[in-house]
């Protein structure tokens, strides 16, 4: 054995040479392994943090209300060509998904949510060719296109309803028809249900000599989903748009899809104080909202979309619209759709500050079914704008909140500029919901004020249209609040939004959970990210008083942080981007917010 071992002196030069070579080979191999491990680790990290999430998790969804976005032909109403002409705007903002409110053929009694042909574009908005171009142009810019799908009702001018009026043939039971009931010899609707926009929801039709049910305006009869042909035909509508390359759908008014089979049942009173008997909230909607039968229909849509996903491997997205708490809305995850979360749009207590916002946000996270993805919305075409609800001075901090939370954010057009609402007199009000409530109360309900044209520049009608009369007036403040002006100003709402939307793509703001830090009546703060992704502290004063706090403990666990984004309203150079800020005693005034790299 001994002889088998060689001492150093016994080694021949060739052996030494071999050993040297072996050593350098091993060294090279080790180096290679280290480099490969680093690449692998990085890929894994990148994958975990970002790339394996579907596009609808990583992107902001930007809602376009086509009437108000950009008019290309001078009729005062926005259109598809107008949108195409502005697609670069989304690239500027780093927005990767747009949702278009209805652009289909419509008599416009509810501004496009009353569809008379589901498979064509209304001439006001353009043509199918324009839509195809919009999809093509968007995709070439890496922007996904989500369309509004309106399954619950349609226009009374739709051929299916016109056929149904005859009372015979295939379309006879496509809608909810009833003889009503007789009370003291008088004909009456079958029940006490109310329309969502308030008032009656049963309308007598002389031709058919029956009542039909309409959850919204009388020109929007509800479809009857207990008829399998309706289900099938609406699936085909979906296929039509999937064939044209759309990436997702936002489903309108999902909660109203079914009504109790026995329509001779009244809904009970809600006993909510100060609600008059004709107002929708007067009743509790046990026969007309969120019936379990909706599940199978939504699953059917998911199946249709899965067919397309299977073809090209591209994830398709379904988000459904309902204003309900997690216990109700989260059922829609089981059906294959993401339910909108409107907790930040309505239901926040007056004077909501840090604690109260945390409660609203936790309501989403804590109730999320395992494996499902959270989401947040700040506004839409049915609700008051952020500047109206939280104050003009809070626009930036609210965008900071929306874009730094974990979950898919939806931004309503113009919120990136902090657009303000317009004033519309009762005489000029166009929205049927407002009109229903009369001169006394129309401002509570009218949606016209949040639908004014997007303010592009300081030229006539804010560059929205060449017409002298846009369909709704442009906000008189457009000369200073517009895209062109804000693009040039480094710390404008627009550029803060752009920075936030860009930062949001960092792995720290994707998968890692929100870890709440200092939270009090004013401050809401949280840490995003891990040691792997890099960590950020987001802190915002959402209350009414100045607040000084120590952030150095867990989860920030740092003495200072470097400012990455601020809300611009600081007037103190120490909060400028790039500055290091001490976390032991940090003061924020109402409306101020910071994103700090730890
Ligand atoms: O809205 C559905 C709808 O009724 C909610 O906005 C409503 O405020 C809530 O359910 C009341 O509790 C959708 C569209 O977003 C809206 O623009 C249409 O007018 C409506 O459907 C009818 O299509």
């Amino acid at each position: 054995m001994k002889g088998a071992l060689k001492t150093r002196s016994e080694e021949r030069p060739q052996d030494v040479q071999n050993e040297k070579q072996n050593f350098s080979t091993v060294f090279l191999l080790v180096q290679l392994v280290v480099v490969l491990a680093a690449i692998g680790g990085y890929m894994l990290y990148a994958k975990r943090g970002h790339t394996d999430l579907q596009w609808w998790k990583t992107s902001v969804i930007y809602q376009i209300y086509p009437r108000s976005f950009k008019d290309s032909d001078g009729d005062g109403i926005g259109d598809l060509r107008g949108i195409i002409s502005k697609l670069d705007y989304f690239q500027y903002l780093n927005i990767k998904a747009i949702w278009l409110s209805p652009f289909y053929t419509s008599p416009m009694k509810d501004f496009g949510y009353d569809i008379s042909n589901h498979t064509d574009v209304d001439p006001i908005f353009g043509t199918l060719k324009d839509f195809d171009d919009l999809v093509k142009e968007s995709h070439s810019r890496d922007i996904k296109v989500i369309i509004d799908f309106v399954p619950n009702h349609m226009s009374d001018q739709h051929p299916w309803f016109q056929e149904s009026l005859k009372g015979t043939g295939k379309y006879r039971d496509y809608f909810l028809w009833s003889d009503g009931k007789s009370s003291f010899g008088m004909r009456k609707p079958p029940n006490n249900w109310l329309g969502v926009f308030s008032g009656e929801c049963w309308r007598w039709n002389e031709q058919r000599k029956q009542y039909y049910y309409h959850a919204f305006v009388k020109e929007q009869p509800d479809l009857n989903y207990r008829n399998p042909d309706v289900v099938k035909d609406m699936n085909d509508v979906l296929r039509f748009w999937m064939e044209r390359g759309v990436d997702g759908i936002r489903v309108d008014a999902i909660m109203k899809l079914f009504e109790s089979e026995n329509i001779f049942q009244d809904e009970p009173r809600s006993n909510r104080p100060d609600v008059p008997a004709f107002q929708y909230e007067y009743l509790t909607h046990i026969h007309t909202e969120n019936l379990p039968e909706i599940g199978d229909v939504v699953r059917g849509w998911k199946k249709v979309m899965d067919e397309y996903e299977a073809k090209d491997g591209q994830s398709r997205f379904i988000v459904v619209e309902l204003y309900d708490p997690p216990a109700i809305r989260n059922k829609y995850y089981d059906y294959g759709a993401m339910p909108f979360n409107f907790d930040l749009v309505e239901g926040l207590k007056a004077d909501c500050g840090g604690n109260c916002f945390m409660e609203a946000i936790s309501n989403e996270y804590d109730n999320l079914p395992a494996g499902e993805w959270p989401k947040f919305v700040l506004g839409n075409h049915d609700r008051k704008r952020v500047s109206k609800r939280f104050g003009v001075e809070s626009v930036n901090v609210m965008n900071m909140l929306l874009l730094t939370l974990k979950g898919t954010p939806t931004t309503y057009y113009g919120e990136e500029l902090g657009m303000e609402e317009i004033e519309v007199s009762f005489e000029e009000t166009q929205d049927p919901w407002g009109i229903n409530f009369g001169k006394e109360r129309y401002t509570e309900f009218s949606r016209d004020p949040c639908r004014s044209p997007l303010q592009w520049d300081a030229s006539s009608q804010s560059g929205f249209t060449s017409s002298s009369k846009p369909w709704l007036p442009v906000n008189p403040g457009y000369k200073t609040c517009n895209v062109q002006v804000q693009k040039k100003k480094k710390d404008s709402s627009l550029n803060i939004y752009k920075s936030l939307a860009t930062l949001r793509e960092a792995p720290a703001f994707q998968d890692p959970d929100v870890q709440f830090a200092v939270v009090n009546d004013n401050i809401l703060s949280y840490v995003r990210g891990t040691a792997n992704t890099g960590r950020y502290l987001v802190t915002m004063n959402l209350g009414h008083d100045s607040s000084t706090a120590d952030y150095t403990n867990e989860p920030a666990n740092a003495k200072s942080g470097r400012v990455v984004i601020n809300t611009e309203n600081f007037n103190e150079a120490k909060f400028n981007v790039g500055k290091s800020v001490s976390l032991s005693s940090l003061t924020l005034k109402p409306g101020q917010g910071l994103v700090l790299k730890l």
Side-chain angles (χ1 to χ4, degrees):
M1 283 289 284
K2 199 179 170 212
L5 291 172
K6 290 177 194 158
T7 62
R8 207 72 190 156
S9 57
E10 287 170 333
E11 280 173 355
R12 286 170 292 138
Q14 187 56 45
D15 287 346
V16 174
Q17 192 59 29
N18 282 348
E19 196 174 299
K20 267 191 186 158
Q21 259 175 11
N22 286 346
F23 179 75
S24 45
T25 313
V26 168
F27 183 71
L28 272 177
L29 269 175
V30 169
Q31 263 191 334
L32 196 68
V33 167
V34 170
V35 171
L36 282 177
I39 293 174
Y42 174 75
M43 280 169 69
L44 198 68
Y45 147 81
K47 203 165 155 16
R48 281 223 189 99
H50 192 83
T51 49
D52 67 344
L53 296 176
Q54 294 98 324
W55 60 267
W56 46 268
K57 294 183 177 171
T58 58
S59 178
V60 175
I61 295 175
Y62 183 99
Q63 181 189 355
I64 295 177
Y65 195 64
R67 294 182 76 83
S68 305
F69 193 69
K70 171 72 187 164
D71 175 22
S72 74
D73 59 4
D75 65 356
I77 303 175
D79 47 46
L80 299 183
R81 288 263 148 229
I83 299 171
I84 296 174
S85 73
K86 293 293 184 185
L87 286 175
D88 293 352
Y89 182 53
F90 302 117
Q91 289 185 294
Y92 178 81
L93 287 174
N94 210 24
I95 280 168
K96 306 269 174 65
I98 51 177
W99 146 35
L100 309 175
S101 283
F103 49 81
Y104 317 103
T105 320
S106 165
M108 302 290 164
K109 298 289 180 199
D110 187 21
F111 297 106
Y113 282 94
D114 48 323
I115 301 171
S116 54
N117 183 354
H118 283 93
T119 54
D120 206 352
V121 173
D122 194 280
I124 286 181
F125 297 122
T127 62
L128 272 176
K129 160 91 171 58
D130 295 335
F131 181 80
D132 291 342
D133 288 350
L134 172 57
V135 171
K136 202 167 96 213
E137 291 291 327
S138 301
H139 285 172
S140 73
R141 289 169 174 81
D142 202 15
I143 297 169
K144 303 283 184 188
V145 179
I146 299 167
I147 58 167
D148 224 300
F149 181 53
V150 189
N152 178 67
H153 46 266
M154 50 179 45
S155 163
D156 60 356
Q157 300 307 306
H158 194 291
W160 298 355
F161 189 72
Q162 291 298 314
E163 281 299 310
S164 197
L165 287 179
K166 296 177 185 159
T168 53
K170 178 182 174 193
Y171 296 98
R172 197 182 63 146
D173 298 325
Y174 264 48
F175 302 85
L176 259 78
W177 290 103
S178 166
D179 296 333
K181 60 185 181 191
S182 156
S183 159
F184 301 109
M186 295 272 286
R187 190 176 57 223
K188 282 182 67 180
N191 55 45
N192 72 340
W193 304 348
L194 289 166
V196 177
F197 297 157
S198 296
E200 292 162 8
C201 64
W202 289 99
R203 187 95 192 160
W204 180 256
N205 178 267
E206 253 320 297
Q207 185 179 342
R208 184 152 158 165
K209 303 245 177 295
Q210 276 189 312
Y211 289 98
Y212 66 86
Y213 172 70
H214 58 93
F216 294 90
V217 300
K218 65 178 191 305
E219 295 88 354
Q220 285 170 307
D222 265 48
L223 281 159
N224 171 20
Y225 276 81
R226 297 189 188 277
N227 180 343
D229 285 342
V230 169
V231 176
K232 197 178 138 298
D233 283 355
M234 288 308 284
N235 282 351
D236 285 345
V237 167
L238 205 50
R239 281 201 180 86
F240 176 88
W241 293 103
M242 289 295 127
E243 287 293 333
R244 303 196 101 85
V246 312
D247 303 285
I249 53 171
R250 172 267 187 191
V251 183
D252 185 67
I254 189 68
M255 75 289 179
K256 303 298 286 182
L257 208 67
F258 275 83
E259 297 70 32
S260 287
E261 201 161 8
N262 172 5
I263 56 170
F264 291 95
Q265 303 178 85
D266 282 350
E267 290 191 327
R269 284 179 59 171
S270 66
N271 295 322
R272 280 170 61 168
D274 304 326
V275 173
F278 79 100
Q279 195 172 325
Y280 186 61
E281 289 75 19
Y282 186 75
L283 300 175
T284 303
H285 308 291
I286 56 171
H287 295 301
T288 56
E289 280 195 11
N290 296 309
L291 266 55
E293 290 91 326
I294 298 174
D296 278 347
V297 178
V298 178
R299 284 191 190 98
W301 300 332
K302 174 84 170 86
K303 211 166 138 242
V304 169
M305 296 178 76
D306 283 350
E307 287 167 21
Y308 289 86
E309 187 166 331
K311 278 188 206 163
D312 60 14
Q314 297 288 316
S315 172
R316 301 302 200 281
F317 176 58
I318 311 185
V319 62
V320 292
E321 183 220 15
L322 73 161
Y323 287 78
D324 283 296
I328 296 174
R329 69 175 182 243
N330 285 350
K331 288 204 187 91
Y332 287 85
Y333 280 118
D334 295 343
Y335 308 160
M338 174 191 271
F340 267 134
N341 158 16
F342 293 120
D343 292 350
L344 301 181
V345 176
E346 56 179 37
L348 289 178
K349 287 176 220 132
D351 282 345
C352 193
N355 281 318
C356 153
F357 268 94
M358 182 175 74
E359 222 175 273
I361 290 160
S362 304
N363 195 38
E364 171 70 357
Y365 293 141
D366 297 350
N367 293 298
L368 208 60
E372 299 298 357
W373 189 253
K375 65 281 154 189
F376 294 93
V377 181
L378 276 185
N380 59 34
H381 63 296
D382 293 331
R383 293 295 186 269
K384 309 234 175 289
R385 281 196 177 273
V386 170
S387 54
K388 181 87 181 175
R389 280 181 291 128
F390 301 104
V392 184
E393 61 295 339
S394 295
V395 162
N396 294 338
V397 81
M398 292 310 293
N399 280 335
M400 183 174 277
L401 173 72
L402 179 73
L403 298 181
T404 57
L405 286 171
K406 175 177 178 169
T408 301
T410 307
T411 288
Y412 180 50
Y413 82 93
E415 296 295 8
E416 70 281 13
L417 298 171
M419 256 174 68
E420 290 184 56
E421 301 211 326
I422 51 164
E423 277 178 31
V424 186
S425 67
F426 181 66
E427 290 65 35
E428 304 225 303
T429 292
Q430 311 209 26
D431 181 22
W433 202 350
I435 294 169
N436 266 357
F437 276 83
K439 202 166 180 159
E440 292 297 302
R441 294 189 65 194
Y442 80 100
T443 51
E444 280 173 60
F445 298 91
S446 173
R447 298 167 294 180
D448 291 348
C450 74
R451 295 177 175 179
S452 66
L454 185 59
Q455 295 149 215
W456 289 104
D457 57 42
S459 68
S460 161
Q461 305 299 345
S462 77
F464 162 70
T465 177
S466 58
S467 156
S468 57
K469 199 166 166 31
W471 80 282
L472 278 175
V474 172
N475 189 305
Y478 76 90
K479 290 227 157 103
T480 46
C481 176
N482 65 56
V483 172
Q484 197 181 45
V485 163
Q486 292 205 12
K487 262 190 180 176
K488 288 190 195 129
K489 203 169 157 261
K490 219 174 106 223
D491 55 5
S492 62
S493 293
L494 184 78
N495 282 328
I496 292 171
Y497 186 96
K498 173 184 161 74
S499 304
L500 288 163
T502 308
L503 180 68
R504 209 188 156 270
E505 296 209 311
F509 289 92
Q510 300 287 329
D511 235 355
D513 285 338
V514 162
Q515 296 169 270
F516 289 108
V518 173
V519 180
N520 58 36
D521 280 349
N522 297 292
I523 299 291
L524 174 72
S525 71
Y526 41 81
V527 169
R528 297 296 316 271
T530 61
N532 274 347
T533 63
R535 296 163 65 244
Y536 294 81
L537 172 69
V538 182
T539 177
M540 297 157 292
N541 188 329
L542 304 175
H544 296 279
D545 298 306
S546 181
S547 179
T548 303
D550 176 358
Y551 296 78
T552 54
N553 296 331
E554 287 290 342
N557 197 18
K559 290 201 166 54
S560 64
R562 185 173 45 80
V563 178
V564 184
I565 299 175
N566 68 44
T567 43
E568 162 282 326
N569 46 355
F570 280 89
N571 293 325
E572 277 178 279
K574 68 175 183 182
F575 292 112
N576 284 356
V577 170
K579 295 274 178 185
S580 174
V581 173
S582 162
L583 296 183
S584 57
S585 173
L586 175 56
T587 304
L588 291 185
K589 297 189 190 117
Q592 292 184 331
L594 293 170
V595 180
L596 303 156
K597 177 84 180 42
L598 296 174

